[in-house]
Amino acid sequence: MKNKLLVIDSDIGTRKLISKVLEQEGYEVDSATSGSAGLATFFERRHMVVLCELKMSGISGQEVLKSIKDQAPQTEVIIMTAYGSVEEAVRVMRLGAQDYLAKPFTREDLVFTVRRAFDKSALAHDNLRLKSALADRKRADLVGSSKTWLNVLDLVERIGPTNATVLLTGESGTGKELIASALHGLSDRSAKPYVALSCTAIPATLLESELFGHTKGSFTGAVREQKGKFELAHTGTIFLDEVGSMPMELQSKLLRVLQERQVDPIGARQPKNIDVRVIAATNTDLKQAVRNKNFREDLFYRLNVIPIHVPPLRERIEDVPLLLRYFIKKYGGDRFTVEPEVDRRLAAYSWPGNVRELENFAQRLVHLSNSEHISLNQLQQGLMPGAGLKGFSQEPVDEFSFVLPEQGVDLEQIERLIIQDVLQRTNNNKSRAARFLGIERHVLLYRLKKFGIDIDRTKSER
């Protein structure tokens, strides 16, 4: 299926020209003369990208788009139109089209648009493949399609089936608990116990007993024998959350457990052998804790066999719409719809509480919204996330204007200057710049290439 493309156009000359150009670029191209023939070809061969003429007799390009996205949402559809109707093109993009090309278009425009569509389709297929694997193990709640998040999921998929010790790092609320559970679900231990313990939720005086267990009468209040979490997780997985908060005196005992694969319950005369996979997590910098003598260096290296950094939501902000709808559906079912402007506004928020904050926000929308259509107006009436917190403004963005010179202007030069100014404001972060300008990231990349703006060279000259 890789690099497989379908061109649907009733004009034989256009169809042949597009096919020739894309074949020269290394794509495997099929073609069809009508919407019905195109759909038949697509459902037989399942292409990653489809280029389709909008105006065709019989089945229209819009109907082709709807049919493909209903059956294969990971396939990207590019709409072609010779009528120059931007409004019509925007409408079909809202229905799921990846992009549109207004005829006549240049070879550069064609190749660039198709390449971007393949990149997006490849990510969607990877996400679908991984989601399928995780869903089989009841881990389909790892929602996201950003490249940053997909890189994490790819690592999870590769490391999950192993017995390697994993150290998850990242801010609170990023989903480290879900990642740990997914690692267990993907392993051969998935049918065995999965035991989680937060090292901050247990008083230090009781943590040793919780981890390693105790015998009856071993200390005041030990009225019966109790197995520790390590013993309960035997043959399975133990998840030690916030391991960086563990007292130093317990760190040496944990190190011995990892080295010897044995636990010493309090008061026991003999150690007990255990077979446990260890996954630890922390929201603190353990390397700095080692330097500050607050965390054992040897324990750090024992835990840090496979490090996985779980990114904060502000570094995968394009996943906010997916996550928002996932949580709204989780708490409110299918009856809610979300206005596109809401997505743009929420993308301007820094989400200091990460995915957990977004989930709480979605619950608030479901329970407090006075309509099943979530609009920007509702957010501005008090449902905004982070109300009163630094990093988010609840004030609407004012319109701006400027005086045009009598002699006229160079529109492309103005566009170039605006893009350069926005890049400077966002420290050359392309995703943030695209959100600031209210355009898709691939549209910004096209304009950077069009205007010859080289961000990497600009950075190196600083």
Side-chain angles (χ1 to χ4, degrees):
M1 187 173 180
K2 188 177 182 181
N3 288 343
K4 192 179 293 184
L5 174 79
L6 173 63
V7 180
I8 307 174
D9 198 311
S10 56
D11 184 88
I12 186 171
T14 301
R15 197 170 63 250
K16 286 186 174 181
L17 179 60
I18 292 174
S19 299
K20 181 179 179 180
V21 168
L22 295 177
E23 284 171 352
Q24 290 173 348
E25 293 292 325
Y27 296 104
E28 182 181 343
V29 182
D30 291 325
S31 63
T33 60
S34 66
S36 57
L39 287 175
T41 302
F42 173 78
F43 289 118
E44 179 183 352
R45 303 203 64 193
R46 295 284 178 168
H47 307 78
M48 287 185 71
V49 173
V50 175
L51 281 88
C52 184
E53 171 62 37
L54 181 60
K55 300 288 187 179
M56 295 184 293
S57 58
I59 298 178
S60 68
Q62 182 173 320
E63 292 173 301
V64 169
L65 167 67
K66 186 178 185 305
S67 182
I68 289 176
K69 298 305 284 187
D70 284 346
Q71 298 296 319
Q74 69 276 14
T75 295
E76 298 301 334
V77 180
I78 300 168
I79 293 295
M80 302 179 292
T81 176
Y83 299 88
S85 173
V86 175
E87 290 182 358
E88 199 164 24
V90 169
R91 188 179 73 250
V92 295
M93 288 183 69
R94 287 175 178 167
L95 294 174
Q98 155 67 12
D99 211 336
Y100 73 92
L101 286 167
K103 297 179 181 178
F105 45 80
T106 65
R107 178 189 179 113
E108 182 184 43
D109 288 341
L110 172 64
V111 172
F112 182 80
T113 303
V114 167
R115 185 178 297 130
R116 296 301 304 174
F118 267 99
D119 288 344
K120 187 172 181 181
S121 181
L123 285 176
H125 277 87
D126 287 344
N127 199 24
L128 182 67
R129 173 178 54 82
L130 182 55
K131 275 189 175 181
S132 177
L134 296 176
D136 289 341
R137 299 164 176 85
K138 300 180 181 180
R139 300 315 315 157
D141 46 1
L142 295 173
V143 178
S145 62
S146 64
K147 188 172 182 180
T148 301
W149 187 242
L150 288 177
N151 287 339
V152 172
L153 297 188
D154 179 65
L155 189 55
V156 169
E157 186 182 31
R158 288 189 285 124
I159 299 304
T162 74
N163 282 317
T165 301
V166 177
L167 179 61
L168 302 173
T169 60
E171 299 174 7
S172 294
T174 53
K176 297 189 292 296
E177 303 92 336
L178 289 177
I179 294 293
S181 183
L183 288 167
H184 172 72
L186 288 166
S187 72
D188 293 336
R189 300 171 180 263
S190 59
K192 303 297 183 178
Y194 172 76
V195 178
L197 174 71
S198 173
C199 296
T200 59
I202 308 295
T205 54
L206 299 178
L207 186 56
E208 181 179 0
S209 175
E210 284 291 321
L211 285 170
F212 311 127
H214 64 258
T215 61
K216 180 179 178 180
S218 57
F219 56 85
T220 302
V223 296
R224 62 180 180 273
E225 181 180 346
Q226 176 178 302
K227 291 183 178 181
K229 293 294 191 281
F230 271 93
E231 193 174 351
L232 292 172
H234 180 61
T235 70
T237 303
I238 188 169
F239 173 51
L240 302 176
D241 198 10
E242 301 306 339
V243 71
S245 66
M246 183 176 290
M248 288 291 287
E249 60 269 21
L250 281 187
Q251 291 179 25
S252 60
K253 295 183 179 182
L254 175 59
L255 177 64
R256 184 175 181 277
V257 171
L258 298 180
Q259 290 173 332
E260 306 296 333
R261 295 294 168 178
Q262 292 180 330
V263 294
D264 286 302
I266 300 173
R269 295 182 178 181
Q270 296 292 332
K272 295 183 178 181
N273 295 325
I274 55 164
D275 172 21
V276 174
R277 183 188 191 180
V278 176
I279 301 173
T282 180
N283 62 5
T284 60
D285 186 346
L286 287 189
K287 290 183 179 179
Q288 185 61 47
V290 169
R291 289 191 288 269
N292 294 340
K293 308 298 183 182
N294 294 323
F295 200 84
R296 291 181 63 106
E297 184 175 15
D298 46 6
L299 177 58
F300 169 72
Y301 288 118
R302 279 283 177 179
L303 294 173
N304 197 45
V305 177
I306 303 290
I308 298 179
H309 179 68
V310 185
L313 189 53
R314 63 180 175 276
E315 292 181 8
R316 46 180 290 227
I317 205 73
E318 55 266 50
D319 288 335
V320 168
L322 287 174
L323 286 162
L324 177 66
R325 284 157 180 78
Y326 171 80
F327 290 130
I328 287 177
K329 183 176 181 180
K330 177 179 178 180
Y331 295 107
D334 293 319
R335 68 182 190 275
F336 286 90
T337 59
V338 182
E339 188 177 87
E341 187 62 28
V342 170
D343 295 329
R344 289 183 57 192
R345 198 66 189 277
L346 295 183
Y349 180 50
S350 59
W351 297 104
N354 294 298
V355 178
R356 186 180 295 125
E357 181 184 5
L358 177 57
E359 181 174 5
N360 293 340
F361 169 66
Q363 286 191 67
R364 195 156 65 247
L365 283 179
V366 168
H367 298 309
L368 299 181
S369 176
N370 55 18
S371 169
E372 293 180 353
H373 178 69
I374 308 299
S375 66
L376 185 61
N377 182 56
Q378 288 177 282
L379 267 64
Q380 291 170 338
Q381 290 177 358
L383 293 179
M384 284 288 195
L389 295 178
K390 183 178 180 181
F392 191 85
S393 171
Q394 299 194 56
E395 295 300 322
V397 178
D398 294 330
E399 297 293 329
F400 68 95
S401 62
F402 49 86
V403 179
L404 297 175
E406 292 293 332
Q407 65 272 25
V409 296
D410 183 333
L411 184 59
E412 289 194 352
Q413 179 64 15
I414 290 177
E415 186 177 3
R416 177 190 174 91
L417 291 173
I418 290 174
I419 290 174
Q420 288 177 321
D421 181 57
V422 171
L423 287 170
Q424 184 176 7
R425 289 169 181 249
T426 58
N427 196 28
N428 285 332
N429 186 303
K430 287 177 263 193
S431 295
R432 287 175 54 201
R435 291 195 299 273
F436 187 95
L437 293 166
I439 59 177
E440 295 292 332
R441 190 174 186 272
H442 74 272
V443 176
L444 175 63
L445 294 178
Y446 171 75
R447 282 169 167 74
L448 293 178
K449 183 176 181 181
K450 175 182 177 181
F451 296 129
I453 301 174
D454 190 342
I455 289 180
D456 295 330
R457 185 177 63 190
T458 301
K459 288 181 178 179
S460 66
E461 290 173 353
R462 287 180 177 177

